[in-house]
Amino acid sequence: MAEITEPLASAPAPSQALDAVSREIGVSLAEARVSIEAFVEQPENVALIRHCADELKRVRSVLQVVGVHGGALLAEEMGEVARYLAAKVSERRNQTESLEALMRALVQLPNYVDRVLGGGRDLPLVLLPLLNDLRAVRGAPLLSEGTLMVLDLKSDRLPHRRAEADAQSMPIGEMARRLRPRFQLGLVGWIRADRTDQNLALLADVATQVEQAATEQPVFQLWWVIGAVLEALRAQGIEDGVSVKRLIGLGDRELRRLQDEGEARYAKSPPEDLLNNLLFYVARATSQGPRVTAVRASFRLGELLPATDAIEQERENLAAPSVKLMHTVAAAIREDLAKVKDVLDIFQRRGGSAPEELETQLEMLRKISDTLGVLGLGQQRTIVQDQVARLEPLLATHEQPPEGLLVDIAAALIGVEDRLDEELVGTVSPRRPGQGSEPADVDFQHLQAAVLRESLVNLAQVKELVTHDLAGAVGPARAEVSKVLLRGIEAGLMMLGKTRAVGVCGRIGELVDRLLRPGAAASQALLEWVADAIVSLEYYMETVQAGRSDPWYMLENADAALDAAQASAPVLSLRQAKPVPPPSLEPTIEADPELLAIFLEEAREEVERITKCFAAWDHSPLDQESLRSARRSFHTLKGSGRVVGARAMHEFAWAIENLLNRVLEGSVGRSPEVLETLRNAVRVMPELVTQLADGTAPASDVAGIAARAHSLATGLPLDEMLQAAADAAAAST
């Protein structure tokens, strides 16, 4: 387990302190257990269960202090159940199920805490089935809903038959009416633990009949997945806890809807949260029956969560789901945060006269808080919970928000958003051997930020020499200046331990030295490769300076560009090199289909990021970070597009990135012409992706937008740019 060991907080606590923490938690949990056992004997004594809730609150506080966020979340949910029991003591509502869930949690919590305090990973996701049970007994939403499991809810399996092939068969709504009593009979018997296997078989038979009769995909896949869960339950691959019983029980509600609405209407509003939850349990099942296996393959669950034989080992090692899932979850949470921020902004602009309009956003924040908690992001969860606490009094009293409150809340949410990718991926992706870890002390962070700030200034001057001074005579003094600047950057990176970045900087220095020699000649392609390498190093340093984890892919991109630059043959004088738009943007593809498929997946993600980030900057001109994010995405598409031979994507992304660089450095202003060009560019990006995917030509004037971008970036009139393009095309024939 040494390879996944992480500190609990900013610095490892001494072993004596951890022993003290473990002992204190053990004492409180023992007190809680005694209270619960006594409450079982004296169910009217509410003081006992309240004492249990107090002890669990104490455990939660201690675990939060030492940074064991998964344990803190479990203790919090246990405390909520204890308070629920205290509130319902006279009704005895769900008392047996609640006490059973509490006792199971009391067994698992000490084991989890001991593993984390002993150096294991703090990953609350492995506790999710138990957390769901604790929520189910008190009727709260399950934690596997919403943004936690963001899947493609369309499987590749189609319904068994089509309506036109069975015109004389019983309508599925009528079938649902006839099958529902059998489903209810099996459900009640299973919940009561009466002839469990027979009742599970009865439920499975109903699920199979509905699945086979379905003609609409949403109906088919829901009952197919329900059948997979029931198969796993019969094979004891899933524990029949309260949450699973609740999910299967919701099948009765769906049969009623199908009966009342008919299949076509039902399919327009399928129960996505229910399907999400069911898929989570299929993914975590330890059995490998035919339905479970087929559902896993169809929904690609193996890419997101560990399954089959690896489950117990993953739980033992406190391992995590995939990086892909974490990126997907981060994107979904960011989308939810963006919606909340947009509503807060609109509310503020309208004068904030009706606070009750924020109720939906409050629920959204609670949902985000739950998701962050189960993913182990305790600090970010606390920030979101603080914003919930600031909004709740306004809704309770219908008071108008104080001036600046909503702005402060939005700023806090932006901070959460900025840390999502790094923290989520960090929970599942151990550092590479030899990569080391960033020092956590504040002094080093300040030093690193200062060194990178100066290095970025130096690199900007090098870019200035390469991109602007080449238009005139470049003397030896200028070349010597570039050497001094790049050596300073190398020294700074070496001091910070960024050895790979040092190597990239050195290679850039060699090429820049060649370019700046008097009389040097280079091709347009060589200039592009060198520019790519410089910008990649710049993005790398900007990302590290912002406090995020090392973006190794940027250095890999720089190395690839430098390799290509060294292989590039000098054809044109540097003084002749000008950015000119291509006469046409053809989607030339030279890569194999598998490589293209990978690029298309990446391109769709980058286009989505461009759309969101540009919209943020378009709405808030001071949001430079969003504009830089959009530029990085265009840069990625430019480089990746060139690798796979997607010429249209490469050249168009190059044109827009070039304009964004000028806007960010301030040499091109935020004029109406610039905004119109950038808006058009963002709008046509999906068309370019579609062109690569199926050959559909863009409806928009892609080449014209690229030409306009080059014109605005260089300051040359558009007609001159178009003439330059025509001249370049003629010269190349």
Side-chain angles (χ1 to χ4, degrees):
M1 296 209 358
E3 72 277 11
I4 60 172
T5 298
E6 285 186 335
L8 295 175
S10 59
S15 58
Q16 296 90 341
L18 295 181
D19 289 341
V21 167
S22 184
R23 285 195 301 272
E24 182 175 351
I25 292 172
V27 170
S28 292
L29 290 179
E31 286 281 333
R33 181 189 292 273
V34 169
S35 296
I36 292 176
E37 291 172 348
F39 181 73
V40 172
E41 301 296 329
Q42 307 172 49
E44 302 295 333
N45 191 343
V46 70
L48 290 170
I49 200 65
R50 285 176 179 165
H51 178 67
C52 173
D54 291 340
E55 293 296 336
L56 290 170
K57 183 177 181 181
R58 185 173 294 108
V59 170
R60 178 200 175 201
S61 299
V62 172
L63 291 174
Q64 282 182 322
V65 169
V66 297
V68 185
H69 299 297
L73 179 60
L74 182 55
E76 178 183 330
E77 293 296 338
M78 293 165 68
E80 291 292 340
V81 172
R83 284 184 283 275
Y84 170 81
L85 284 169
K88 306 295 182 182
V89 68
S90 60
E91 304 174 24
R92 305 282 182 91
R93 184 182 300 177
N94 296 336
Q95 193 175 88
T96 301
E97 295 86 353
S98 300
L99 290 170
E100 180 184 329
L102 267 179
M103 293 302 292
R104 284 194 289 116
L106 279 169
V107 172
Q108 291 196 29
L109 179 56
N111 294 334
Y112 182 89
V113 172
D114 286 345
R115 288 174 181 173
V116 178
L117 291 179
R121 279 181 171 268
D122 181 17
L123 296 167
L125 196 57
V126 300
L127 299 170
L128 188 55
L130 180 54
L131 291 167
N132 274 346
D133 283 352
L134 291 168
R135 288 203 151 209
V137 295
R138 57 188 181 89
L142 303 187
L143 286 171
S144 46
E145 290 179 1
T147 57
L148 178 59
M149 280 289 291
V150 184
L151 304 173
D152 178 4
L153 295 179
K154 293 181 180 178
S155 69
D156 57 7
R157 183 73 67 91
L158 297 175
H160 297 287
R161 62 179 188 172
R162 305 310 305 167
E164 58 268 24
D166 295 85
Q168 305 302 317
S169 63
M170 180 188 302
I172 196 169
E174 177 63 20
M175 176 179 285
R177 186 184 68 80
R178 295 190 181 187
L179 290 175
R180 192 173 171 221
R182 296 187 66 211
F183 189 86
Q184 292 171 334
L185 181 65
L187 183 64
V188 171
W190 173 49
I191 291 175
R192 291 177 176 173
D194 178 24
R195 295 181 300 171
T196 299
D197 193 62
Q198 293 180 34
N199 283 305
L200 284 174
L202 179 58
L203 292 170
D205 179 64
V206 172
T208 300
Q209 290 191 56
V210 179
E211 168 206 326
Q212 292 179 346
T215 61
E216 296 285 347
Q217 181 80 353
V219 179
F220 161 76
Q221 67 180 11
L222 173 64
W223 288 94
W224 184 39
V225 173
I226 289 176
V229 173
L230 290 166
E231 177 190 83
L233 284 166
R234 297 183 69 187
Q236 298 183 339
I238 297 176
E239 294 183 8
D240 58 348
V242 182
S243 54
V244 175
K245 290 177 178 177
R246 173 177 163 184
L247 292 174
I248 298 298
L250 291 174
D252 178 60
R253 180 192 66 183
E254 300 309 314
L255 285 174
R256 175 64 183 269
R257 281 189 58 207
L258 199 56
Q259 168 188 329
D260 294 344
E261 299 175 9
E263 190 174 15
R265 183 181 168 193
Y266 177 96
K268 293 179 180 178
S269 57
E272 293 186 352
D273 280 348
L274 175 57
L275 182 60
N276 237 0
N277 278 297
L278 291 166
L279 286 171
F280 173 81
Y281 283 94
V282 173
R284 299 301 297 253
T286 57
S287 58
Q288 301 183 57
R291 282 178 179 269
V292 168
T293 302
V295 169
R296 280 181 184 149
S298 182
F299 285 92
R300 302 184 300 280
L301 299 182
E303 300 175 13
L304 301 170
L305 290 170
T308 63
D309 295 338
I311 276 288
E312 291 306 319
Q313 182 180 356
E314 295 290 345
R315 285 177 177 164
E316 181 68 24
N317 293 332
L318 299 181
S322 70
V323 172
K324 180 177 180 179
L325 173 60
M326 292 298 98
H327 279 307
T328 306
V329 170
I333 296 175
R334 278 199 303 271
E335 183 176 348
D336 286 345
L337 287 170
K339 291 176 182 176
V340 175
K341 289 184 296 181
D342 288 345
V343 171
L344 293 179
D345 180 65
I346 294 171
F347 185 85
Q348 182 82 7
R349 290 171 184 269
R350 289 209 318 254
S353 58
E356 60 273 9
E357 295 178 4
L358 299 176
E359 179 65 44
T360 303
Q361 311 315 311
L362 194 64
E363 290 305 314
M364 179 71 77
L365 288 175
R366 291 191 182 108
K367 172 184 171 185
I368 294 170
S369 170
D370 288 340
T371 302
L372 293 172
V374 82
L375 292 170
L377 305 187
Q379 294 177 350
Q380 307 308 319
R381 183 186 187 225
T382 299
I383 293 173
V384 175
Q385 286 179 321
D386 289 344
Q387 310 320 308
V388 170
R390 299 171 78 180
L391 281 175
E392 281 178 329
L394 301 178
L395 299 178
T397 60
H398 301 283
E399 295 179 2
Q400 186 171 348
E403 184 176 355
L405 175 63
L406 298 185
V407 174
D408 291 344
I409 291 175
L413 298 180
I414 290 173
V416 172
E417 189 176 7
D418 287 343
R419 301 292 298 177
L420 274 177
D421 274 313
E422 176 191 359
E423 294 199 7
L424 278 175
V425 175
T427 64
V428 300
S429 181
R431 292 184 180 274
R432 302 178 183 179
Q435 182 177 340
S437 58
E438 293 297 326
D441 63 275
V442 177
D443 289 340
F444 181 86
Q445 291 175 354
H446 288 320
L447 172 64
Q448 177 172 272
V451 170
L452 291 173
R453 184 166 55 249
E454 293 302 318
S455 297
L456 285 166
V457 170
N458 285 0
L459 193 60
Q461 294 181 51
V462 174
K463 271 202 310 183
E464 185 77 14
L465 287 170
V466 174
T467 59
H468 295 294
D469 287 3
L470 292 177
V474 180
R478 290 285 190 177
E480 191 61 33
V481 168
S482 75
K483 288 182 182 179
V484 173
L485 292 171
L486 287 165
R487 284 172 185 164
I489 297 172
E490 285 186 61
L493 292 171
M494 181 67 74
M495 182 172 63
L496 298 176
K498 309 298 185 185
T499 53
R500 181 166 182 185
V502 171
V504 169
C505 187
R507 295 184 66 191
I508 290 174
E510 294 174 3
L511 277 173
V512 170
D513 183 56
R514 284 173 46 196
L515 292 175
L516 294 182
R517 290 174 186 168
S523 66
Q524 179 72 26
L526 174 58
L527 291 174
E528 287 186 34
W529 291 122
V530 174
D532 273 0
I534 292 175
V535 173
S536 294
L537 179 60
E538 181 182 36
Y539 290 167
Y540 171 85
M541 292 194 295
E542 286 178 353
T543 302
V544 175
Q545 184 191 29
R548 304 188 181 104
S549 57
D550 280 17
W552 292 94
Y553 64 93
M554 288 294 182
L555 298 181
E556 291 166 358
N557 188 64
D559 274 330
L562 290 165
D563 290 342
Q566 289 178 337
S568 177
V571 176
L572 300 174
S573 165
L574 287 174
R575 297 171 190 171
Q576 294 175 311
K578 291 183 179 180
V580 292
S584 64
L585 292 173
E586 298 297 329
T588 304
I589 296 297
E590 300 173 359
D592 59 59
E594 184 177 355
L595 188 59
L596 177 61
I598 295 172
F599 172 70
L600 281 171
E601 182 178 356
E602 177 188 36
R604 292 186 181 101
E605 293 175 357
E606 296 298 341
V607 168
E608 181 180 359
R609 186 174 294 110
I610 286 170
T611 302
K612 292 180 180 178
C613 291
F614 178 78
W617 176 75
D618 197 6
H619 180 69
S620 303
L622 297 180
D623 187 1
Q624 293 292 291
E625 181 57 35
S626 291
L627 190 62
R628 279 191 288 270
S629 296
R631 177 187 65 176
R632 281 192 286 269
S633 292
F634 276 111
H635 177 79
T636 299
L637 291 173
K638 178 186 73 172
S640 300
R642 179 165 49 212
V643 169
V644 303
R647 191 176 70 187
M649 180 69 77
H650 156 67
E651 293 179 342
F652 187 77
W654 169 50
I656 306 307
E657 182 199 9
N658 186 42
L659 176 56
L660 290 175
N661 283 333
R662 304 290 79 78
V663 173
L664 282 165
E665 71 184 19
S667 60
V668 171
R670 186 185 157 102
S671 66
E673 294 82 6
V674 168
L675 286 174
E676 181 185 6
T677 300
L678 291 175
R679 287 167 184 160
N680 288 336
V682 173
R683 177 177 51 79
V684 303
M685 289 302 294
E687 297 181 32
L688 288 172
V689 174
T690 300
Q691 183 181 30
L692 288 173
D694 59 20
T696 303
S700 305
D701 182 11
V702 179
I705 297 171
R708 171 64 68 183
H710 280 302
S711 172
L712 292 168
T714 60
L716 294 175
L718 181 59
D719 55 350
E720 292 186 22
M721 294 297 299
L722 295 174
Q723 185 60 50
D727 293 343
S732 64
T733 57

